[in-house]
């Protein structure tokens, strides 16, 4: 093992051992844990429950997992204008749990957005880090998806079933950004803060968040589950070092935009996307 690798592992280990600096809170640990449970059950925790049920249902099917499909960004109405309204409303409501998380933390400090690193004070470095992370996560993630699907451990993911409308690409981009804001604010910024305030060790916080992240992607299959756990561990470690959620949102948004828009434009021309 090279000295650089040993140094990198030592750095990650040090970050996971903490301690993580978080604001003081007047609430006892039991209240904090209950609050996080309610926030999750209103958002990504509920998605995890449905996702677990979905994979159980898929495994009970006579059709093998590798021959099943999982559809993202599905059409909601036959009329184009009504479908657009559905998509916009869904995107708007989908970001509310993230706003709730910022509000809850903001009751105890001057600015929840500044605390989470959602400001523009380091925008150039945030953009650069986000793009770098997207490349590092996206390329191996794509390979994992293809291998898992071919091995029958993952469904075929239909990243967009919106059809071809003038609004399809803008909606897919907005959906990608909404997913990124929701997941990174709640799963990293909010949970890392509340669970640390409740007295949990940093490594438990990082691992717990990553496991939940993987769980609400289980509907895609075990490749999506494993890949998103790894993504959660990476992004969680980056947050421990930077204490900023914005580069994580940028990373996640780039990954989803490439997936959603790329699939919409290329699925008829590239065989392995179908």
């Amino acid at each position: 093992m090279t000295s650089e690798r040993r140094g990198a592992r030592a750095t990650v280990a040090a970050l996971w051992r903490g301690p993580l600096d978080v604001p003081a809170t007047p609430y006892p640990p039991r209240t904090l844990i209950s609050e996080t449970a309610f926030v999750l059950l209103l958002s990504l925790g509920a998605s995890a429950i449905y996702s677990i049920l979905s994979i159980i249902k898929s495994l009970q099917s006579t059709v093998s997992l590798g021959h099943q499909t999982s559809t993202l960004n599905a059409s909601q109405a036959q009329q184009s204008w009504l479908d657009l309204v559905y998509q916009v409303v869904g995107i708007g409501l989908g970001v509310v749990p993230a706003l709730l998380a910022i509000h809850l933390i903001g009751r105890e400090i001057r600015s929840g957005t500044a605390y989470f690193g959602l400001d523009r004070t380091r925008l150039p470095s945030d953009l650069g880090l986000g793009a770098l992370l997207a490349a590092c996560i996206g390329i191996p993630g794509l390979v994992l998806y293809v291998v898992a699907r071919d091995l029958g451990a993952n469904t075929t993911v239909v990243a967009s079933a919106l059809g071809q409308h003038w609004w399809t690409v803008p909606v897919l981009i907005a959906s990608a950004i909404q997913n990124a804001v929701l997941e990174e604010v709640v799963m990293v910024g909010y949970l890392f803060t509340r669970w640390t305030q409740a007295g949990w060790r940093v490594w438990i916080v990082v691992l717990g968040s990553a496991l939940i992240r993987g769980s609400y992607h289980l509907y895609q299959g075990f490749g999506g589950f494993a890949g998103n756990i790894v993504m959660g561990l990476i992004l969680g470690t980056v947050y421990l070092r930077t204490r900023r959620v914005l580069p994580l949102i940028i990373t996640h948004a780039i990954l989803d935009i490439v997936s959603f828009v790329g699939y919409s434009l290329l699925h008829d021309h590239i065989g392995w996307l179908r």
Side-chain angles (χ1 to χ4, degrees):
M1 182 185 301
T2 65
S3 58
E4 290 81 2
R5 289 184 179 180
R6 287 195 296 268
R9 290 188 178 184
T11 299
V12 171
L15 289 172
W16 280 38
R17 285 196 298 266
L20 180 62
D21 183 28
V22 294
T25 178
Y27 305 110
R30 183 174 181 178
T31 299
L32 297 174
I33 298 302
S34 297
E35 180 189 288
T36 59
F38 291 139
V39 170
L40 285 173
L41 289 174
L42 286 171
S43 57
L44 296 167
S47 297
I49 293 172
Y50 281 117
S51 192
I52 292 170
L53 293 174
S54 178
I55 192 65
I56 293 173
K57 180 180 177 181
S58 295
L59 292 173
Q60 296 300 309
S61 174
T62 56
V63 180
S64 65
L65 192 62
H67 289 87
Q68 298 180 42
T69 60
S70 300
T71 302
L72 314 178
N73 302 296
S75 179
Q76 301 296 324
Q78 292 184 346
Q79 300 88 345
S80 177
W81 69 268
L82 186 56
D83 196 3
L84 174 59
V85 172
Y86 265 103
Q87 301 301 328
V88 171
V89 170
I91 291 168
L93 294 178
V95 80
V96 170
L99 299 178
L100 174 62
I102 294 171
H103 167 75
L104 291 171
I105 298 297
R107 295 178 304 171
E108 301 164 22
I109 58 178
R110 179 175 297 179
S111 172
T113 54
Y115 168 72
F116 284 140
L118 294 171
D119 51 58
R120 295 180 293 177
T121 56
R122 304 181 192 173
L123 187 56
S125 61
D126 288 342
L127 287 169
L129 178 58
L132 176 62
L133 288 171
C136 293
I137 294 172
I139 296 173
L142 179 60
V143 173
L144 174 62
Y145 161 71
V146 173
V147 171
R149 188 193 62 179
D150 290 348
L151 290 175
N154 212 81
T155 62
T156 295
V157 178
V158 178
S160 173
L162 295 182
Q164 300 299 320
H165 306 282
W166 65 265
W167 49 261
T168 297
V169 170
V171 162
L172 291 174
I173 293 173
S175 177
I177 295 172
Q178 178 258 305
N179 288 342
V181 171
L182 171 63
E183 294 188 38
E184 304 315 324
V185 169
V186 173
M187 297 307 303
V188 180
Y190 171 72
L191 287 185
F192 278 40
T193 300
R194 282 304 196 218
W195 284 348
T196 301
Q197 289 173 327
W200 290 18
R201 295 183 178 180
V202 174
W203 71 268
I204 296 177
V205 171
V206 178
L207 183 59
S209 173
L211 287 172
I212 296 174
R213 186 190 293 261
S215 296
Y216 59 75
H217 287 92
L218 255 175
Y219 69 93
Q220 298 176 8
F222 298 105
F225 173 69
N228 278 279
I229 288 177
V230 173
M231 178 176 171
L233 295 176
I234 294 172
L235 296 185
T237 302
V238 171
Y239 177 74
L240 293 179
R241 186 173 184 86
T242 65
R243 299 306 307 276
R244 292 183 62 79
V245 173
L246 185 55
L248 312 186
I249 292 175
I250 293 169
T251 298
H252 196 143
I254 291 173
L255 291 172
D256 280 5
I257 288 171
V258 171
S259 298
F260 296 170
V261 177
Y263 182 91
S264 178
L265 298 177
L266 300 175
H267 75 281
D268 288 333
H269 307 287
I270 299 179
W272 58 264
L273 286 176
R274 298 193 293 271

